[in-house]
Amino acid sequence: MPSTNLVKRDWEKDHVYLVQFPRAGFIPTPSPYALKVETFLRMADIPYTNINNEFKTMSARGQIPFIELNGRQHADSTLIIDALIEHFHKGDLEIHTPSDKAIARAFFALLEHHLNWVTFFSRGQDFSWLATPGGMGRYLSGIKGFAFKNLMLKQFQKKVKGRAAAQGMGTFSKEEVLEQCKKDLDALSIQLADKPYLFGNEVKSIDAVAFAHLAELIYTPQFSPEIKVYFEEKTPNLNAYLNRIKDKYWKDWAETCETMNMNTTWK
Ligand SMILES: N[C@@H](CCC(=O)N[C@@H](CS)C(=O)NCC(=O)O)C(=O)O
């Protein structure tokens, strides 16, 4: 997507500038889409720099994350990953066997267009944690803090509630959402079986999608504590998978959540 308003004007060739929200305390970012792109960049070993959007700078699509690469803006996490795979010749992170490709496509929909909405359902019910130290509370003082807690947070919660309702998950009861969530976790657990990654021994881009949505589900507050209990007790292989990816690609996870620093030297 051509952009006349580049955030990074003195860009370096073949370096990715990832524009996203500031860090949070429970998780490096409360945006599953930004976490997906940042995790993919690490899996693909593509050099990148984070840019804090300070809740203001949005893509031409009106959202984050977006990237700037060689003076062009790419927005939408899925399209960003496709563009990165093409530009940096990272075809080894894609699935090529037709039957696995078809299954991965279905799991993409489960993760991004179903399970993700359990997290957004929770945030639509109560997003107050975003203004606590587990969220972005540590940045928020004075007038900025007052505006965030009393205006922005309410707007975020209202928006996410509306989106969850439009998607459908938001019209379910808590019991129904919990049931749907368990079914998704079971399906992922069965697909993973005893493999290191969803499709075998090698990490693929679908693992960045799975990691991002599972991390938001498990590390940020949900409407029911039963989700985390179910995940740990009934899908232990998925729990190990989440930790495996975190340990390999997010060695700086705890430090990032502690310092909220966006300048990561992750390796
Ligand atoms: N389909 C987009 C979704 C991005 C998205 O929903 N981003 C949220 C943050 S998690 C956002 O920018 N929301 C602000 C808004 O919509 O006004 C993607 O995959 O990047």
Side-chain angles (χ1 to χ4, degrees):
M1 188 173 290
S3 173
T4 44
N5 286 321
L6 283 181
V7 176
K8 185 75 183 165
R9 289 171 185 273
D10 55 340
W11 47 268
E12 211 179 290
K13 189 173 185 304
D14 291 339
H15 189 92
V16 173
Y17 298 92
L18 172 58
V19 185
Q20 56 167 315
F21 289 146
R23 295 294 196 201
F26 287 135
I27 192 159
T29 164
S31 164
Y33 310 107
L35 186 60
K36 172 178 142 189
V37 173
E38 191 165 358
T39 303
F40 177 81
L41 285 163
R42 291 168 174 226
M43 288 174 170
D45 201 13
I46 294 170
Y48 75 97
T49 301
N50 282 313
I51 296 183
N52 184 344
N53 89 327
E54 296 182 0
F55 299 109
K56 289 195 287 254
T57 317
M58 298 294 191
S59 72
R61 293 178 198 271
Q63 293 182 323
I64 62 94
F66 66 94
I67 64 161
E68 289 179 359
L69 173 61
N70 294 343
R72 277 178 67 97
Q73 183 188 99
H74 300 261
D76 187 285
S77 59
T78 303
L79 303 184
I80 292 171
I81 290 176
D82 286 350
L84 291 172
I85 289 176
E86 193 180 335
H87 184 82
F88 291 97
H89 309 293
K90 296 288 177 182
D92 55 330
L93 285 164
E94 287 191 298
I95 292 167
H96 300 287
T97 315
S99 60
D100 276 355
K101 207 172 165 174
I103 297 167
R105 187 79 194 144
F107 272 104
F108 173 83
L110 176 149
L111 287 156
E112 188 127 334
H113 300 302
H114 201 253
L115 185 61
N116 182 33
W117 292 95
V118 174
T119 294
F120 285 163
F121 172 87
S122 298
R123 294 177 184 181
Q125 300 281 309
D126 182 3
F127 212 168
S128 56
W129 63 267
L130 197 65
T132 71
M136 293 169 173
R138 279 186 271 155
Y139 308 116
L140 308 171
S141 58
I143 190 96
K144 201 170 153 193
F146 182 85
F148 189 90
K149 282 180 201 150
N150 293 289
L151 297 169
M152 280 177 81
L153 189 60
K154 289 199 178 111
Q155 278 170 12
F156 282 154
Q157 184 170 329
K158 196 172 164 203
K159 195 166 198 173
V160 87
K161 193 171 186 168
R163 284 176 73 183
Q167 186 274 343
M169 192 72 81
T171 65
F172 287 3
S173 68
K174 289 183 177 174
E175 292 71 30
E176 287 163 344
V177 175
L178 189 58
E179 217 39 50
Q180 294 297 311
C181 179
K182 288 178 182 176
K183 285 182 180 171
D184 286 352
L185 294 176
D186 287 342
L188 284 160
S189 173
I190 291 166
Q191 170 62 26
L192 178 63
D194 57 2
K195 301 187 289 300
Y197 299 109
L198 283 174
F199 287 86
N201 290 327
E202 307 297 329
V203 76
K204 301 289 173 191
S205 64
I206 187 75
D207 294 299
V209 182
F211 175 77
H213 294 300
L214 288 172
E216 298 290 340
L217 185 74
I218 300 305
Y219 301 131
T220 68
Q222 300 296 326
F223 72 92
S224 165
E226 219 180 306
I227 293 176
K228 192 158 185 266
V229 172
Y230 190 88
F231 181 76
E232 287 171 352
E233 292 179 1
K234 304 287 187 200
T235 62
N237 65 335
L238 216 48
N239 189 18
Y241 167 79
L242 183 65
N243 285 316
R244 186 177 311 123
I245 296 181
K246 180 151 81 78
D247 291 347
K248 182 155 185 194
Y249 296 104
W250 281 95
K251 286 190 177 58
D252 56 339
W253 185 277
E255 187 195 327
T256 301
C257 296
E258 178 54 36
T259 61
M260 297 187 151
N261 193 346
M262 299 196 80
N263 300 326
T264 53
T265 44
W266 69 276
K267 280 193 215 169

